[in-house]
Amino acid sequence: MRFIDPRADCTAPSYLGCLRMRTDETLRLTRQIAEINAVVPGIVASRLMRLAWAGTQPSRSDRNEFTRMSSEKWQAASQSAVASTLFLFNLQMEAARSFWQAAMFPWLGIQTGHGDAGSNTGAGLMTAALAPYHRIATANARRLRKF
C-alpha cells in the first residue's frame, strides 16, 4: 500500500488522500454531534426529574448537582473558545511556515497555496470547538445513569 502524504497537493494523483482526510474529519464531527444529540435529552430529563424530586428542600447532593449544571456550561464554553483559538492559531502558523519556506527556499519547489490547509478547516474547527461539550456531556450521561 502506498503512503498518501496528508500535506500533498489536493489535485489529480493525491486527491484521494485529501478526500480521505476530509472524510475522516467529517466523520469525527458527525460522530461527536450524534453522540451529543443522543445523550443530552437523557441528561436534561435526569436533572429535571431530580429537580422535581428535590422539591423545596433539596439535599446537599441535589444542590451540588444544580450548581454543577451551570458551572459545567461555563467550563465547556471557555474550553471550547480556547480550543477554537488554538486550532486557528496552529492553522495560521502552518500557513506562515509554508509561506516562509517557499519564500526562503525557492529551489525546493515548495509552493504556497498548496496542500490541504483549507480542505478540512471547517470540520477541524468544529471538532475542536465541540470536543469539550462532547466530553462533558458523555461524562454526565455515564455519571447520571446511576440515579
Side-chain angles (χ1 to χ4, degrees), residues 12-45:
S14 63
Y15 177 74
L16 292 177
C18 293
L19 183 63
R20 186 180 70 200
M21 240 183 115
R22 284 187 210 137
T23 304
D24 290 347
E25 279 296 320
T26 304
L27 287 175
R28 187 175 301 123
L29 176 62
T30 304
R31 183 185 58 81
Q32 272 187 341
I33 291 171
E35 286 179 356
I36 289 171
N37 286 335
V39 299
V40 166
I43 294 169
V44 171

Side-chain angles (χ1 to χ4, degrees), residues 3 7 15 21 37 49 53 86 106 115 137:
F3 175 73
R7 299 177 193 268
Y15 177 74
M21 240 183 115
N37 286 335
M49 194 172 309
W53 282 342
L86 287 176

Side-chain angles (χ1 to χ4, degrees), residues 5 7-11 14 94-118:
D5 184 10
R7 299 177 193 268
D9 180 18
C10 287
T11 58
S14 63
E94 181 64 29
R97 185 189 61 79
S98 173
F99 176 75
W100 183 80
Q101 281 182 340
M104 299 305 281
F105 306 108
W107 57 86
L108 293 178
I110 301 171
Q111 300 174 2
T112 58
H114 219 59
D116 69 332

Side-chain angles (χ1 to χ4, degrees), residues 63-99:
R63 287 192 305 270
N64 289 341
E65 183 65 29
F66 302 151
T67 302
R68 187 177 189 150
M69 281 191 264
S70 61
S71 65
E72 282 177 343
K73 290 171 182 61
W74 286 103
Q75 178 186 6
S78 62
Q79 289 175 355
S80 177
V82 168
S84 300
T85 303
L86 287 176
F87 179 84
L88 291 173
F89 178 77
N90 288 334
L91 188 67
Q92 184 178 8
M93 289 296 108
E94 181 64 29
R97 185 189 61 79
S98 173
F99 176 75

